[in-house]
C-alpha cells in the first residue's frame, strides 16, 4: 500500500523544480522513498534489439486514464512553446527562467536539448515532473538519442516510431541508475520535429512505480499535440 503523499513531504525534493522559483538554481537530488512491498515491483524495460517498433507501450497505469483539464504551449499559457498539448488535472506548469544562461547549463542543458517548461505532478498526488525540452538543430530521432545518452546512468534505451497527435514522433523508454535508491528506474520521452526544431517531452519520476503511475498524464500529452504556426519559441 502506498503511503499518503503528505507522509512523504519531507522528501519531496526527489523531483525538485529547476529554475522556476525564486533564488538561484538547485540540483535535483533523489529522495529515499518509504518502504514498499518488493513482490509487486515492476521490472525494467527490455534492452533495444535495434529494430524500430510502432507499438506504444500500454500505459493506462494504476491511476486510470487522465482527462484533459488544460492546455500548454499556446498563447496565454504558462510556457511559450512551438507546440501545444493537453495537461492532466492538477498538473501545474511553470516556465524555466533563463534556460540558456551558461551558469545554469548543468541543470538546463541535456545533450542537444534545453529545458523550457516543467509540469509538476505533486498537486495531483505524485512525485515527478513532465518536462519539455527544445533543440534548434537535428531530427527528432537524433535529438532524442543525444538527450538520452547525455543523462548520467542511462541504459537499455529502446526506440520506436509513433505519433504525437497527428505529428510523426519518436519515443524512447530506458532506465537510469539511481545512486540514492541503488536501483534502476524507468524513464521515457517522445520527440517531434517542427519548423522551429525538435521538441522533447520527458517523464521521469522518483522510481519506477511512481513513473508508471504518472503515465496516463504523459500519454494524454501525446494524444492532442499540435504545432503552433508562427510561434516565437
Amino acid at each position: 500500500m502506498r503511503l499518503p503523499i503528505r507522509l512523504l513531504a519531507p522528501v519531496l525534493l526527489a523531483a525538485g523544480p529547476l529554475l522556476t522559483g525564486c533564488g538561484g538554481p538547485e540540483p535535483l537530488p533523489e529522495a529515499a522513498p518509504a518502504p514498499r512491498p518488493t513482490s509487486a515491483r515492476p521490472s525494467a524495460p527490455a534492452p533495444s534489439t535495434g529494430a524500430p517498433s510502432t507499438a506504444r507501450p500500454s500505459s493506462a497505469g494504476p491511476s486510470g486514464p487522465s482527462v484533459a483539464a488544460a492546455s500548454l504551449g499556446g498563447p496565454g499559457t504558462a510556457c511559450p512553446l512551438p507546440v501545444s498539448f493537453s495537461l492532466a488535472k492538477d498538473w501545474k506548469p511553470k516556465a524555466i527562467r533563463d534556460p540558456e544562461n551558461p551558469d545554469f547549463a548543468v541543470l538546463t542543458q541535456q545533450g542537444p536539448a534545453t529545458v523550457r517548461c516543467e509540469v509538476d505532478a505533486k498537486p495531483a498526488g505524485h512525485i515527478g515532473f513532465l518536462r519539455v525540452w527544445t533543440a534548434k538543430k537535428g531530427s527528432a530521432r537524433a535529438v532524442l538519442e543525444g538527450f538520452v545518452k547525455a543523462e548520467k546512468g542511462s541504459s537499455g534505451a529502446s526506440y520506436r516510431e509513433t505519433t504525437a497527435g497527428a505529428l510523426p514522433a519518436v519515443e524512447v523508454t530506458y532506465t537510469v541508475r539511481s545512486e540514492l535508491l541503488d536501483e534502476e528506474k524507468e524513464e521515457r520521452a517522445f520527440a517531434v520535429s517542427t519548423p522551429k526544431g525538435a521538441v522533447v517531452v520527458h517523464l521521469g519520476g522518483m522510481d519506477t512505480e511512481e513513473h508508471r503511475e504518472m503515465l496516463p498524464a504523459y500519454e494524454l500529452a501525446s494524444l492532442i499535440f499540435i504545432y503552433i504556426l508562427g510561434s516565437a519559441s
Side-chain angles (χ1 to χ4, degrees):
M1 177 181 297
R2 292 182 59 79
L3 294 176
I5 194 167
R6 64 179 179 273
L7 298 182
L8 292 174
V11 295
L12 288 185
L13 288 177
L18 292 174
L19 302 175
T20 57
C22 297
E26 296 183 359
L28 299 175
E30 300 281 1
R36 295 176 178 149
T38 57
S39 59
R41 197 72 180 172
S43 58
S48 171
T49 60
S53 168
T54 58
R56 181 180 287 278
S58 176
S59 52
S63 303
S66 288
V67 176
S71 63
L72 182 67
T77 64
C79 301
L81 299 167
V83 296
S84 176
F85 58 90
S86 296
L87 293 179
K89 182 179 179 182
D90 293 330
W91 285 59
K92 302 301 181 184
K94 289 185 179 180
I96 303 299
R97 293 187 294 109
D98 201 12
E100 297 188 22
N101 188 326
D103 292 338
F104 303 151
V106 66
L107 298 177
T108 60
Q109 307 288 324
Q110 185 166 313
T114 301
V115 65
R116 301 292 176 179
C117 186
E118 62 182 17
V119 189
D120 190 356
K122 287 194 289 296
H126 303 291
I127 304 176
F129 287 87
L130 192 68
R131 290 191 169 104
V132 185
W133 305 68
T134 63
K136 295 179 180 179
K137 297 180 180 180
S139 66
R141 176 67 179 248
V143 169
L144 192 59
E145 289 181 348
F147 177 84
V148 173
K149 289 178 181 178
E151 184 162 0
K152 182 180 178 181
S154 64
S155 64
S158 177
Y159 295 87
R160 71 202 122 265
E161 304 297 322
T162 183
T163 59
L167 300 176
V170 181
E171 185 176 40
V172 62
T173 56
Y174 61 103
T175 61
V176 173
R177 184 71 184 176
S178 170
E179 296 180 357
L180 184 61
L181 299 179
D182 193 28
E183 64 181 32
E184 303 286 331
K185 61 173 186 161
E186 285 183 14
E187 297 192 6
R188 71 189 64 205
F190 68 86
V192 299
S193 293
T194 79
K196 299 289 185 179
V199 176
V200 177
V201 178
H202 171 266
L203 178 69
M206 185 175 67
D207 57 16
T208 293
E209 182 178 351
E210 194 74 53
H211 173 85
R212 291 185 175 184
E213 289 186 354
M214 296 187 291
L215 285 178
Y218 168 87
E219 288 292 325
L220 177 64
S222 71
L223 289 177
I224 306 176
F225 194 92
I226 59 175
Y227 169 65
I228 302 175
L229 295 175
S231 62
S233 298

